[in-house]
Amino acid sequence: MKIVGKTDVGMVRDTNQDAFKILALGQGAGLALVCDGMGGAQGGDTASYIAKKVIAETIQEKYCDTMGAEAAKILVRESVLQANHAIYQTAREDAELAGMGTTVVLALLYQNHAYVAHVGDSRLYRYRDHQLTQLTRDHSYIQEMVDRGELSPDQARVHPDRNFITRAVGVQWDVEIDLHVLELEPGDRLLLCTDGLSSTCTDEQIGEVLSQNPLEESAEILVRLANQGGGHDNITVVIVES
């Protein structure tokens, strides 16, 4: 298994509120994590930093090579809950950080499976057998409009309200977390990314890059494509190859 990541401020923003973390764990296991902070420059930076730190520390502390599938599911959920509480409490103690939060998408890679936790509109894709599949569903008003048939996916990608999310880590004391368990096959590629990529590049563009390039080059090219498309937001990609 191999994991690479890259983040970029983009062409418009002054600060980068995205964060990512890659960890090697025992016996070929690993962690891939992407966060996209919100709540003003300082708030967004702080929220994504806290989420990255707390999630990584929680998983490092409690990961065990023999923990089993159910324990892995519990661990990814607990790590996000711990981050949620830490961000919420920090915001309560500092009025300038009130309302801050962050998206989270993470994959704990363990025994040929990916244990995924997801909140917000950062995404997880899988590239397998020449096909790119989005495996997470955005927690956003625009996604709800797509679900109701009011917008097409292409319209949603460029809608002016695409950044309004309905769920984030740290905004309230508790948070609803989507959990997924994916069986990995040799050659699978997982892409975790913020909306700075997914709102700029089409699935066809992303799939083409993942199909034709080594991991490091794929990350570089995807960030470059997002910037060429306007770079209207911070851009973060993490790619896993099983």
Side-chain angles (χ1 to χ4, degrees):
M1 181 183 63
K2 187 175 183 181
I3 313 176
V4 302
K6 183 174 177 60
T7 189
D8 190 89
V9 70
M11 306 298 291
V12 175
R13 301 292 178 89
D14 294 325
T15 61
N16 191 346
Q17 300 179 46
D18 287 359
F20 76 91
K21 185 73 175 182
I22 295 169
L23 278 178
L25 301 167
Q27 294 190 2
L31 170 68
L33 167 67
V34 166
C35 306
D36 181 357
M38 52 175 244
Q42 183 182 0
D45 290 347
T46 302
S48 61
Y49 171 79
I50 292 173
K52 177 179 75 170
K53 181 175 184 293
V54 171
I55 290 170
E57 288 178 351
T58 301
I59 288 179
Q60 277 186 303
E61 177 185 350
K62 300 191 175 183
Y63 172 83
C64 174
D65 285 333
T66 58
M67 64 184 175
E70 191 61 30
K73 288 169 62 176
I74 292 170
L75 178 55
V76 296
R77 182 175 186 275
E78 180 183 350
S79 71
V80 178
L81 288 176
Q82 292 291 336
N84 187 79
H85 295 160
I87 295 167
Y88 181 80
Q89 189 61 38
T90 301
R92 289 193 64 181
E93 295 168 357
D94 186 341
E96 293 185 358
L97 300 177
M100 71 174 176
T102 184
T103 70
V104 166
V105 60
L106 71 89
L108 174 61
L109 307 149
Y110 172 70
Q111 293 188 346
N112 299 316
H113 288 76
Y115 295 86
V116 177
H118 169 242
V119 180
D121 63 354
S122 294
R123 292 181 179 178
L124 173 72
Y125 295 88
R126 180 186 63 208
Y127 184 80
R128 174 189 288 174
D129 296 333
H130 310 291
Q131 183 174 0
L132 185 76
T133 305
Q134 181 182 334
L135 299 178
T136 54
R137 177 186 174 278
D138 293 352
H139 302 135
S140 69
Y141 294 112
I142 296 304
Q143 181 62 55
E144 292 174 1
M145 294 177 70
V146 172
D147 293 344
R148 294 193 298 266
E150 298 170 9
L151 290 175
S152 71
D154 285 342
Q155 290 172 323
R157 190 169 57 83
V158 296
H159 196 281
D161 295 333
R162 62 186 177 273
N163 294 325
F164 293 151
I165 59 176
T166 56
R167 207 185 296 178
V169 174
V171 176
Q172 298 178 332
W173 176 246
D174 200 8
V175 63
E176 184 180 355
I177 304 165
D178 287 359
L179 298 173
H180 313 270
V181 181
L182 313 173
E183 187 171 358
L184 301 176
E185 297 181 1
D188 279 354
R189 286 186 169 185
L190 301 180
L191 169 66
L192 296 80
C193 67
T194 58
D195 64 338
L197 179 75
S198 59
S199 66
T200 306
C201 297
T202 65
D203 287 5
E204 291 76 13
Q205 289 175 306
I206 294 170
E208 183 177 356
V209 171
L210 293 176
S211 71
Q212 297 181 1
N213 300 279
L215 246 59
E216 295 87 347
E217 292 180 24
S218 293
E220 295 280 350
I221 293 168
L222 288 172
V223 169
R224 185 164 67 245
L225 284 174
N227 277 323
Q228 289 172 351
H232 53 77
D233 202 350
N234 307 144
I235 309 151
T236 301
V237 301
V238 171
I239 309 173
V240 179
E241 186 171 72
S242 62

